[in-house]
Amino acid sequence: MNIKDIESEEGMILWRGCLNSHLNHLIENLEVVRNSNNYRVVKLYPLYASIIEDIISLDILTKHSRLNQCYIISRALLERVINYCYLLYASNEEYESYVDYTKNKAARSLSRSIELDGVKKVSVEFANGYYELPEDYKKAVDKFTSKNGKEIPRWTSLNIDKRAIFLDEKSGKNLLLHVLMIYGDASEALHGTLYGALFHLGTYNIGSIPTDQNSLDEHRNSALSFLYFMACSAIGTLFFALKDNNVEVNESYEQMESKFKSVTINTGLAKS
């Protein structure tokens, strides 16, 4: 077998093809998900649609080698997949907390301000400041307000690492590895640090910093291959969770698994 290394353009293109195949399965199963008998699957449909949007955005950015932005989109994709899948298994209490958190954020978005040392520096009121929140929105705001009056910023006590571990144990996948490889670098890119502006070029890869166009191309192909690999693996977890929650996606899941395994073998990431 002629192995296409992930640092080569041929190997990277194989992974791009795998992502496009997975995207097609996501789109083909839109109505299956939307019309599922599983209440949560239907109610969380906006997350499923957002995952498709993330994959399309990632595909566009990778084709133009916009690696820095690719990491940011990949972080959004991972968080959405993890939340969607986790909520299919979560307790009713946690699911309701997720819904209430949404109402809480919607209510708070109508009135925003920034305070420094107890002094309001800037504020914005929407709807001209005249509105009456529905009772369930008021309760949601109260639920996510701490005793000292600050907003509680999380809907669950489980951080993303623990949610990823939970799903990995269910599916046998590797979401936690992807969180490790993407989350921190994407955060630096979002926070505007110098590292965050340059890491995707291999500038800080001590011992293997690209020194010419060839080594830079290899680094880019390797990074792109990994991002495709990550996205495909995440979608695989998503379809596992759907299948495990009695959504009729078995055929797509098997086809995706077969495609993923084939590409991992053909790029030397697994043995046949």
Side-chain angles (χ1 to χ4, degrees), residues 26 29-30 32-34 36 38-51 76-90 95 98 155 163 166-167 175 234 237-239 241-243 245 247 249:
L26 278 167
N29 284 279
L30 275 168
V32 174
V33 171
R34 187 182 293 174
S36 169
N38 186 307
Y39 175 84
R40 291 191 191 177
V41 168
V42 175
K43 287 297 182 181
L44 293 169
Y45 175 79
L47 274 182
Y48 184 93
S50 296
I51 289 166
L77 168 65
L78 269 179
E79 292 205 43
R80 283 174 171 151
V81 168
I82 288 171
N83 283 345
Y84 187 94
C85 295
Y86 178 74
L87 286 164
L88 296 184
Y89 295 101
Y95 176 77
Y98 183 81
W155 57 271
R163 277 173 272 153
F166 172 85
L167 294 169
L175 286 175
T237 302
L238 170 60
F239 271 69
L242 288 171
K243 178 176 69 72
N245 282 273
V247 182
V249 295

Side-chain angles (χ1 to χ4, degrees), residues 4-204:
K4 309 295 184 183
D5 192 274
I6 61 170
E7 294 182 349
S8 69
E9 184 174 3
E10 294 86 351
M12 180 269 290
I13 289 174
L14 282 176
W15 277 110
R16 177 184 292 168
C18 189
L19 180 67
N20 288 332
S21 175
H22 280 44
L23 173 60
N24 288 336
H25 284 291
L26 278 167
I27 295 171
E28 289 169 2
N29 284 279
L30 275 168
E31 292 305 313
V32 174
V33 171
R34 187 182 293 174
N35 297 317
S36 169
N37 292 324
N38 186 307
Y39 175 84
R40 291 191 191 177
V41 168
V42 175
K43 287 297 182 181
L44 293 169
Y45 175 79
L47 274 182
Y48 184 93
S50 296
I51 289 166
I52 292 177
E53 184 174 333
D54 286 338
I55 294 294
I56 292 173
S57 298
L58 180 62
D59 188 43
I60 292 171
L61 289 167
T62 51
K63 286 178 179 176
H64 293 277
S65 296
R66 302 303 178 191
L67 272 171
N68 198 267
Q69 294 299 311
C70 287
Y71 275 82
I72 294 172
I73 291 292
S74 294
R75 171 174 165 168
L77 168 65
L78 269 179
E79 292 205 43
R80 283 174 171 151
V81 168
I82 288 171
N83 283 345
Y84 187 94
C85 295
Y86 178 74
L87 286 164
L88 296 184
Y89 295 101
S91 66
N92 288 332
E93 182 181 1
E94 275 197 297
Y95 176 77
E96 291 302 325
S97 180
Y98 183 81
V99 174
D100 288 340
Y101 183 78
T102 303
K103 295 177 181 179
N104 160 68
K105 295 305 293 187
R108 291 179 189 272
S109 71
L110 296 172
S111 179
R112 302 179 181 183
S113 65
I114 295 177
E115 293 185 5
L116 296 175
D117 299 323
V119 179
K120 186 178 292 186
K121 295 295 184 180
V122 62
S123 63
V124 176
E125 294 286 345
F126 295 92
N128 297 319
Y130 299 104
Y131 53 85
E132 178 66 25
L133 290 175
E135 190 60 30
D136 55 338
Y137 280 66
K138 291 179 182 177
K139 290 181 179 179
V141 170
D142 290 341
K143 181 176 181 178
F144 288 95
T145 301
S146 66
K147 292 181 179 179
N148 61 8
K150 299 291 185 180
E151 182 183 5
I152 298 171
R154 290 183 178 180
W155 57 271
T156 176
S157 60
L158 291 183
N159 63 24
I160 191 169
D161 296 347
K162 291 179 180 178
R163 277 173 272 153
I165 290 171
F166 172 85
L167 294 169
D168 285 351
E169 290 175 348
K170 283 280 186 182
S171 66
K173 309 292 186 184
N174 50 11
L175 286 175
L176 185 63
L177 171 64
H178 302 320
V179 171
L180 173 66
M181 295 298 294
I182 287 175
Y183 207 85
D185 286 342
S187 295
E188 293 301 316
L190 284 165
H191 295 153
T193 64
L194 184 59
Y195 174 85
L198 294 172
F199 75 89
H200 63 289
L201 298 174
T203 305
Y204 300 103

Side-chain angles (χ1 to χ4, degrees), residues 242-260:
L242 288 171
K243 178 176 69 72
D244 205 36
N245 282 273
N246 302 315
V247 182
E248 296 297 325
V249 295
N250 297 51
E251 185 176 350
S252 285
Y253 176 72
E254 294 301 328
Q255 291 177 8
M256 291 163 63
E257 288 292 283
S258 177
K259 179 71 172 180
F260 185 82

Side-chain angles (χ1 to χ4, degrees), residues 203-239:
T203 305
Y204 300 103
N205 291 0
I206 298 172
S208 60
I209 298 172
T211 55
D212 52 27
Q213 189 61 51
N214 184 60
S215 58
L216 184 61
D217 288 344
E218 288 181 348
H219 172 78
R220 183 185 67 248
N221 288 331
S222 179
L224 287 172
S225 293
F226 168 71
L227 290 170
Y228 288 133
F229 169 84
M230 178 283 304
C232 291
S233 181
I235 298 171
T237 302
L238 170 60
F239 271 69

